[in-house]
Amino acid sequence: MYTDQGNSDSTVPEILEKIEGYFGFIPKIFEVLSENPPALKAFFDKVESIMVDDALNPLTKEFVSIGAASGLGSAHCLRTHLEVARQLGATDEQLLLSIIIGASIAETTALSQCLRVYDDFRS
C-alpha cells in the first residue's frame, strides 16, 4: 500500500516505487506523467489520498474501480484494476459482476437520457 501520504519531498523514483508497490507494475498513466514531475506529484497525491482512506477496504476500492472503468469503456484502467483485484483475492465471479454492474450503469444512463429526449419529442 502507499505510504508517506502528503510527503511533498517525494521524488519521481520514490513515487514510481510506491505505485509499483501497490499495482505490482507502473501503469502507463504514471509512466508518462513522470516526464512532468509536478503533474505526477499532483496526480499521485490525489490517488494516494484515496488509496490510504480506510473507509473502504482495498478490494472494495478495486471493485468500484472495475465498475467505473467498465462504465467508461476504459480498457487500460479495467485491465489494471482487474489485475490488482486478482492480486487481492478477487474471484472470477466477483470480477465479472463488477464489470456487469459498471457497464449496466453506463447503459442505463444512455437509455435514460435518450428516452427523456424521446419523451419530450413526443409531447
Side-chain angles (χ1 to χ4, degrees), residues 18-94:
K18 290 176 184 180
I19 292 164
E20 187 170 17
Y22 181 76
F23 290 108
F25 60 97
I26 299 171
K28 182 62 94 174
I29 190 169
F30 293 106
E31 183 182 315
V32 175
L33 280 175
S34 72
E35 297 173 17
N36 182 326
L40 172 66
K41 173 97 174 79
F43 188 72
F44 172 75
D45 286 347
K46 178 181 70 170
V47 170
E48 183 179 38
S49 70
I50 294 165
M51 299 314 295
V52 299
D53 188 322
D54 63 0
L56 295 173
N57 67 55
L59 186 54
T60 299
K61 290 175 191 173
E62 291 307 318
F63 291 143
V64 171
S65 298
I66 289 165
S70 299
L72 293 169
S74 178
H76 297 294
C77 290
L78 180 57
R79 283 189 201 97
T80 295
H81 292 287
L82 285 170
E83 181 61 37
V84 174
R86 171 68 83 220
Q87 292 171 13
L88 293 172
T91 65
D92 287 345
E93 292 81 11
Q94 291 171 319

Side-chain angles (χ1 to χ4, degrees), residues 85-113:
R86 171 68 83 220
Q87 292 171 13
L88 293 172
T91 65
D92 287 345
E93 292 81 11
Q94 291 171 319
L95 298 174
L96 181 58
L97 183 57
S98 297
I99 290 169
I100 291 169
I101 290 170
S104 294
I105 295 297
E107 176 186 17
T108 301
T109 298
L111 188 58
S112 172
Q113 292 171 349

